[in-house]
């Protein structure tokens, strides 16, 4: 049984596949709450001890160590819950950027109940690099600044992140073609996740009847 774990949809895909773009839009729809691990990291004070570690890794295209990642992410999620920005009884959590390796998938298990994984598939690496370059100008991101760093992130994705899919039952994974205008991709993502709202509602109803 899901217990008190947060009911979650994972947005999954390579850098530049559009997880953040889709997540932000979906997060505006009542009943969904979007949280991007990269955004959590970028919101930290860069001069704090954790901020320095995170900058050191992310600006060179490497994964931030798992202990720091999980601690910072969980603390942020707890704060959002305490402040009722995220309301676990009403909202499905839309996570993007975590878990990013198999160890993280293991570590987040106690916190989240994964209802579905939406895998944004983009086989055209040049298209993704193009998106990342546009984002670099718009958002002034250190990790988008150089071609070397971008290529390293793709490498890390193939080596460490893609295998995360093996940690979940196949029937939870939906592939969505990430090429095309954001509105087209959005329609396809919504077709997959809207039915989850009903699942979420039924589970919460059952839990409150059981007094969980
Ligand atoms: P993208 O949209 O390109 O996938 P993100 O904004 O999700 O990028 O993440 C930016 C960087 O932050 C990553 O390249 C990585 O260095 C770091 N990062 C984000 N999430 C995680 C995570 N779960 N574990 C380790 N590092 C992470």
């Amino acid at each position: 049984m899901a217990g008190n774990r947060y009911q979650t949809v994972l947005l999954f895909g390579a850098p530049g596949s559009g997880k953040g773009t889709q997540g932000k839009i979906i997060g505006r729809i009542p009943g969904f709450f979007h949280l991007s691990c990269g955004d959590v990291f970028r919101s930290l004070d860069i001069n704090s001890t954790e901020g320095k570690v995170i900058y050191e890794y992310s600006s060179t295209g490497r994964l931030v160590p798992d202990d720091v990642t999980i601690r910072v992410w969980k603390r942020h999620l707890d704060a959002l819950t305490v402040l009722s920005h995220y309301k676990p009884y009403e909202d499905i959590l839309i996570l993007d950027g975590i878990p990013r390796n198999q160890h993280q998938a293991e570590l987040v298990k106690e916190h989240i109940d994964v209802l579905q994984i939406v895998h944004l598939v983009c086989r055209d690496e040049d298209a993704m690099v193009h998106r990342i370059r546009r984002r670099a100008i718009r958002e002034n991101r250190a990790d988008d600044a150089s071609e070397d760093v971008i290529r390293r992130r793709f490498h890390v994705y193939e080596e460490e992140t893609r295998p995360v899919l093996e940690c979940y039952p196949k029937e939870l994974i939906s592939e969505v073609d990430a090429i095309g205008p954001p509105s087209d991709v959005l329609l396809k993502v919504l077709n997959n996740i809207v039915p989850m709202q009903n699942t979420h509602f039924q589970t919460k109803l059952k839990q409150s009847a059981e007094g969980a």
Side-chain angles (χ1 to χ4, degrees):
M1 190 43 228
N4 284 326
R5 292 183 301 159
Y6 301 134
Q7 298 217 289
T8 302
V9 168
L10 301 181
L11 284 181
F12 193 88
S17 61
K19 305 181 296 289
T21 304
Q22 295 299 325
K24 278 194 189 83
I25 303 170
I26 295 162
R28 301 299 301 265
I29 303 173
F32 294 110
F33 186 87
H34 170 240
L35 185 63
S36 145
C37 193
D39 285 349
V40 171
F41 286 172
R42 284 184 287 278
S43 73
L44 285 187
D45 179 353
I46 201 168
N47 296 308
S48 65
T49 312
E50 283 166 344
K52 281 182 188 151
V53 174
I54 288 168
Y55 184 80
E56 180 196 333
Y57 282 87
S58 59
S59 62
T60 50
R62 291 172 295 162
L63 293 188
V64 174
D66 295 340
D67 57 338
V68 181
T69 296
I70 302 296
R71 187 171 67 238
V72 169
W73 168 79
K74 183 62 176 38
R75 192 175 61 212
H76 197 96
L77 186 57
D78 288 343
L80 290 167
T81 312
V82 169
L83 293 170
S84 290
H85 292 318
Y86 164 50
K87 303 184 187 74
Y89 270 85
E90 288 174 22
D91 301 332
I92 293 181
L93 185 60
I94 306 288
L95 279 186
D96 114 45
I98 191 167
R100 238 176 164 104
N101 61 30
Q102 292 192 331
H103 184 227
Q104 289 184 12
E106 198 53 47
L107 294 172
V108 295
K109 247 188 200 162
E110 63 171 304
H111 307 301
I112 59 171
D113 175 28
V114 177
L115 304 175
Q116 198 184 34
I117 299 158
V118 176
H119 180 190
L120 294 170
V121 181
C122 178
R123 291 187 179 84
D124 182 350
E125 193 168 308
D126 287 342
M128 289 190 281
V129 172
H130 181 70
R131 286 179 180 180
I132 290 173
R133 287 234 171 272
R134 265 199 332 222
R135 182 170 71 183
I137 298 163
R138 227 179 22 234
E139 297 176 16
N140 195 21
R141 276 178 52 166
D143 60 338
D144 287 345
S146 88
E147 181 91 20
D148 278 358
V149 173
I150 294 173
R151 295 287 167 198
R152 181 187 260 171
R153 274 159 58 207
F154 281 117
H155 181 73
V156 168
Y157 175 76
E158 287 302 329
E159 293 293 308
E160 301 187 52
T161 306
R162 187 188 283 279
V164 165
L165 290 173
E166 294 159 21
C167 301
Y168 296 96
K170 275 202 175 52
E171 54 279 15
L172 292 193
I173 304 170
S174 320
E175 291 205 343
V176 167
D177 184 357
I179 298 283
S183 52
D184 271 1
V185 179
L186 179 66
L187 265 182
K188 290 183 266 184
V189 175
L190 285 177
N191 274 330
N192 281 285
I193 67 173
V194 168
M196 290 300 122
Q197 285 196 304
N198 196 33
T199 311
H200 176 68
F201 179 70
Q202 296 300 337
T203 308
K204 290 301 165 197
L205 208 63
K206 200 162 157 235
Q207 279 177 356
S208 64
E210 289 165 354

